[in-house]
Amino acid sequence: MRAPIGDFPHAIPAPDCLDDLVGPVADAVRDWRGSVSADRILYVETDPEWADTAVFVQHYGQELLEQSANCVVVAGKRGGESSLAACVVLSTTRVDVNGVVRRQLGARKASFASMDTAVGETGMEYGGITPVGLPTAWPILVDSAVVDLPYVLVGSGRRRGKLLVPGKAFAELPNAVVLEGLGVA
C-alpha cells in the first residue's frame, strides 16, 4: 500500500507488522481501542542514517516537515515528588515546558527527562519515542495542531521506522490531553 503522506514506497498497517515494533508499541497496537481503527495506523521502514529532519524530508518528502510530530518525555517536580509525562508537538515547533507543561502537570519545575530515564521508562529507543505504547499512567499532552492533521508522521519506538497516525487518534490515547499552545514557534 502507498503511504497517505510522504514518499514511502510501502506502508503496512501496524497490526500486520507487530514483529517490526518494540514491545510496548506492539502491545498498544494489539490492544488498540477508539474511533480510529488500528489498521489505519501505518508503519513505514526508514533509514536511521537519514534521521536528521533536513535529510529526512529531502529523502521522504518535503511536505513531511509540516506533517511530522515529535514526542518528548518531560519530568515535572513539586516538592520531593517527580512525575513523567509525554508531549507531542509538530516538529516545526518546540514544547512550552516552562509554561503550558509546568502548569498542566501542577509542577513547580518541569524539564526534559534525561535520555536514560526516557529510554528506561518507555522501553523505546532514544530518537524514536512515540506516544503509542507509553506507560498508561502517564499524561500524554498533545498540541491541538497535531490532532487537526489528517495523518502525522511520528516515531515507531525505534530509530528504524516511523508510524503514520491519523491526527485524531492522538486525542484517543490513554490519558491524552489536547492543549492549545503546547507547541510554540
Side-chain angles (χ1 to χ4, degrees):
M1 133 186 327
R2 200 79 192 135
I5 60 173
D7 187 22
F8 303 101
H10 303 304
I12 305 163
D16 295 344
C17 60
L18 296 175
D19 290 342
D20 292 322
L21 304 172
V22 295
V25 177
D27 290 344
V29 169
R30 192 178 296 110
D31 298 335
W32 187 262
R33 303 285 179 267
S35 66
V36 175
S37 67
D39 62 352
R40 291 200 50 221
I41 300 170
L42 305 173
Y43 174 78
V44 292
E45 189 79 22
T46 60
D47 188 331
E49 296 289 323
W50 298 338
D52 176 68
T53 302
V55 176
F56 190 89
V57 299
Q58 193 174 20
H59 283 88
Y60 297 113
Q62 193 65 38
E63 75 278 4
L64 291 173
L65 189 59
E66 303 292 327
Q67 299 169 328
S68 298
N70 293 324
C71 179
V72 296
V73 179
V74 296
K77 296 178 183 170
R78 184 170 193 85
E81 299 296 313
S82 181
S83 61
L84 296 173
C87 299
V88 183
V89 299
L90 293 178
S91 61
T92 55
T93 65
R94 62 178 175 75
V95 177
D96 184 4
V97 175
N98 292 312
V100 175
V101 173
R102 186 184 55 75
R103 285 190 300 275
Q104 185 66 33
L105 297 179
R108 186 170 298 273
K109 181 181 177 192
S111 59
F112 295 107
S114 71
M115 181 174 68
D116 290 342
T117 298
V119 169
E121 295 292 326
T122 64
M124 300 177 197
E125 292 178 8
Y126 194 74
I129 293 175
T130 182
V132 178
L134 290 175
T136 57
W138 287 15
I140 300 176
L141 310 180
V142 183
D143 189 272
S144 60
V146 172
V147 176
D148 291 341
L149 289 174
Y151 266 93
V152 179
L153 177 89
V154 70
S156 68
R158 60 187 196 128
R159 290 185 55 81
R160 176 176 294 283
K162 300 281 188 184
L163 295 178
L164 303 177
V165 181
K168 67 182 184 178
F170 291 98
E172 298 179 353
L173 291 166
N175 290 328
V177 178
V178 178
L179 299 167
E180 295 282 334
L182 177 63
V184 293

